[in-house]
Amino acid sequence: MNPEAILSQVYDPQTGHLSGGMTVRRHLSDLRNSFSNPAAVDEHLKQEDPLLYEVVAVEPGDADGDLHYGLGILYPGQIDGEYYLTKGHYHETREAAEVYIGLRGEGMMLLEDEQSGESRLEPLGAGKVVYVPGHTAHRTMNTGSEPLTYFGIYPADAGHDYGALAERNFHKVLIEENGNPVLRDRRIEEQP
Ligand code: S6P
Ligand code: ZN
């Protein structure tokens, strides 16, 4: 544990503001290949490049046994019926698990087991907590009309591996059909 570490922070579940920490912001242009319809993303980008989510990460130490945590704010919206989403990742240390605690809004987590490839959808929002086991890719989607804010708490040595999913993406896609979220198989479009 870093002796300089600030052990107590202030957060606001409504705005997703967290004092201290490092902020990462992802815009639509950063998520182009995360959506199932990149052409629809390109069309949207002609008008604007909205902020999709922000994460403030607090890393008090990097020793064995230390924890890191982050407060995420995922804004509401859709691209061609697909809800705004995070990139999603495995942990570099594959066995590292994570706990997500929903603070505000309505959303879902898509979990994908690395070995079996099986998908699970778990609600995440105010009053919901989701345990993400190790060896599991995880992505968050905002299915509501207000910002989705949540804490993620994970081992300090977890790390983030975006590479595998950047190449093949998740097997499933969460889209809105008749006002409801529906999980569908991803259609692999043939490249011209
Ligand atoms: C970190 C944790 C979250 C995500 C956040 C953004 O282990 O799972 O704080 O970083 O939800 O997602 P992503 O996939 O862009 O890191
Ligand atoms: Zn994670």
Side-chain angles (χ1 to χ4, degrees):
M1 174 73 61
N2 174 359
E4 304 292 311
I6 299 170
L7 299 182
S8 174
Q9 307 276 9
V10 174
Y11 76 94
D12 182 334
Q14 290 300 307
T15 63
H17 178 79
L18 173 65
S19 67
M22 295 169 302
T23 303
V24 173
R25 294 189 175 85
R26 302 277 186 215
H27 291 79
L28 181 59
S29 53
D30 300 312
L31 276 288
R32 182 182 182 276
N33 296 319
S34 300
F35 285 98
S36 50
N37 188 346
V41 173
D42 290 340
E43 207 46 45
H44 197 108
L45 288 174
K46 289 180 186 169
Q47 307 300 320
E48 55 164 0
D49 187 10
L51 178 64
L52 263 54
Y53 64 96
E54 306 173 60
V55 182
V56 183
V58 178
E59 303 181 352
D62 284 317
D64 284 353
D66 282 344
L67 296 173
H68 290 176
Y69 64 94
L71 180 47
I73 314 165
L74 175 58
Y75 294 100
Q78 295 181 2
I79 296 291
D80 192 24
E82 187 173 10
Y83 298 101
Y84 278 6
L85 42 72
T86 58
K87 282 188 177 208
H89 57 270
Y90 291 102
H91 292 147
E92 257 166 32
T93 301
R94 285 292 195 271
E95 57 268 33
E98 180 163 3
V99 175
Y100 273 70
I101 301 168
L103 302 173
R104 176 191 176 188
E106 285 175 52
M108 296 277 188
M109 288 195 75
L110 180 57
L111 309 182
E112 193 177 288
D113 182 272
E114 187 172 29
Q115 251 68 53
S116 67
E118 280 177 19
S119 304
R120 276 170 40 211
L121 197 59
E122 300 291 340
L124 177 72
K128 300 280 191 336
V129 56
V130 178
Y131 181 79
V132 180
H135 302 273
T136 304
H138 43 291
R139 159 176 282 172
T140 308
M141 287 95 29
N142 186 335
T143 56
S145 54
E146 58 179 299
L148 173 69
T149 67
Y150 57 89
F151 272 116
I153 305 162
Y154 45 97
D157 66 356
H160 297 89
D161 177 0
Y162 295 99
L165 294 161
E167 293 223 336
R168 67 155 179 82
N169 216 328
F170 285 72
H171 297 311
K172 302 277 186 180
V173 181
L174 190 69
I175 52 173
E176 185 180 88
E177 285 184 10
N178 304 317
N180 295 310
V182 178
L183 196 63
R184 295 273 182 219
D185 288 335
R186 180 179 303 283
R187 282 179 305 156
I188 307 298
E189 306 292 346
E190 289 196 17
Q191 298 299 318

